[in-house]
Amino acid sequence: MVQLEQAVHKTQRIDQGELGYLTVGFPSSIANGVFPEILRTFRQQYPEVQLILQEEHSAFLIQRLRDRQTDIIFLYLYHDISEANDLETMSLTQEPLVVVLPKNHPLTAQSKISLSDLKDQEFVMPLHQIVAGLSEEIYHVCSQAGFVPKVAQTAVFMVTILGLVAGETGISILPSHVQNIQREGVVYRQIQEQTTTTQLTAVWRHNHSSTILQQFLNIIKPLSIYSNPK
């Protein structure tokens, strides 16, 4: 009888989203922003729900989501996602972009840098196949300033990009949370044009009815700029 009551109680807790697991996918590029706080808040409120974290590049994250191997993913919004009818999105933080310069670069003398000042610079860019949304946003803001970035090198990880900038391979444009990474040899500068932002987005499958997923969405909703249910 006791075992039966325990089993019923456990089933009730699973149905209420207090027990179980949630698989969360993310690219390395978001790990130094608001993402850690989301994880910490969820774990505090639902300590017996296991978060299974999977770090992958954007295209693989989306495929795993569609294959039901992942419950929810985070990435920088880009066209293929915003137009997908089988997915739902919640746009979270809008984050300013910053210019990343080698410490001895002449532009470090300016407190803010106009994008037009970067047209002749060589860039270290996030690899599009891995961080598609961020790469597209950088190309977009440069296009608005009237030029296409001259790409000297691409890299997957933020720390790699910073290392290449420190080594004077080129300059970069990255989300402002990159400043949380302590890296000798680089200098960060605000962009003069205030419209330059990148958008972190949560993505999950349309009609995914998991209670635990709904609990997780309730945690991140306060960060939401707007949601885009299909």
Side-chain angles (χ1 to χ4, degrees), residues 1 6 25 29 52 65 75 112 132 135 149 174 176 203 215 217:
M1 186 66 178
Q6 289 176 339
S29 57
I52 301 173
L65 183 65
L75 39 72
K112 291 186 178 181
S135 175
L174 294 173
S176 63
V203 187
Q215 308 279 37
L217 292 174

Side-chain angles (χ1 to χ4, degrees), residues 13-187:
R13 295 192 68 198
I14 291 172
D15 290 341
Q16 293 167 1
E18 297 175 358
L19 281 177
Y21 68 90
L22 188 74
T23 304
V24 182
F26 66 99
S28 62
S29 57
I30 75 163
N32 296 288
V34 71
F35 185 60
E37 183 61 31
I38 291 172
L39 300 180
R40 182 163 49 250
T41 301
F42 185 82
R43 284 185 167 126
Q44 287 174 348
Q45 294 193 25
Y46 301 97
E48 295 186 70
V49 174
Q50 181 184 5
L51 290 180
I52 301 173
L53 304 178
Q54 299 177 340
E55 181 184 2
E56 300 286 354
H57 62 76
S58 300
F60 195 58
L61 285 172
I62 295 162
Q63 190 59 52
R64 289 182 66 89
L65 183 65
R66 285 178 163 146
D67 290 344
R68 300 179 180 273
Q69 298 176 26
T70 307
D71 297 306
I72 187 169
I73 62 175
F74 291 84
L75 39 72
Y76 291 111
L77 186 66
Y78 62 103
H79 180 75
D80 289 351
I81 288 298
S82 62
E83 298 297 320
N85 292 323
D86 61 328
L87 301 175
E88 296 190 28
T89 64
M90 183 187 298
S91 296
L92 304 177
T93 55
Q94 277 191 326
E95 185 176 359
L97 295 168
V98 295
V99 180
V100 188
L101 302 164
K103 66 178 181 180
N104 295 321
H105 196 285
L107 287 175
T108 61
Q110 302 180 27
S111 60
K112 291 186 178 181
I113 296 174
S114 173
L115 287 167
S116 60
D117 292 337
L118 305 177
K119 64 181 179 180
D120 296 323
Q121 300 293 317
E122 292 191 327
F123 278 70
V124 181
M125 289 283 290
L127 185 62
H128 184 272
Q129 295 93 317
I130 306 298
V131 198
L134 179 56
S135 175
E136 286 184 5
E137 183 62 23
I138 295 168
Y139 274 103
H140 174 68
V141 298
C142 291
S143 174
Q144 287 186 319
F147 71 97
V148 176
K150 299 176 182 178
V151 180
Q153 182 65 47
T154 59
V156 174
F157 301 108
M158 292 283 189
V159 290
T160 306
I161 294 174
L162 295 181
L164 293 172
V165 172
E168 301 186 355
T169 303
I171 64 104
S172 193
I173 296 176
L174 294 173
S176 63
H177 75 249
V178 72
Q179 296 172 93
N180 292 328
I181 303 175
Q182 298 298 316
R183 181 59 171 89
E184 181 68 26
V186 301
V187 174

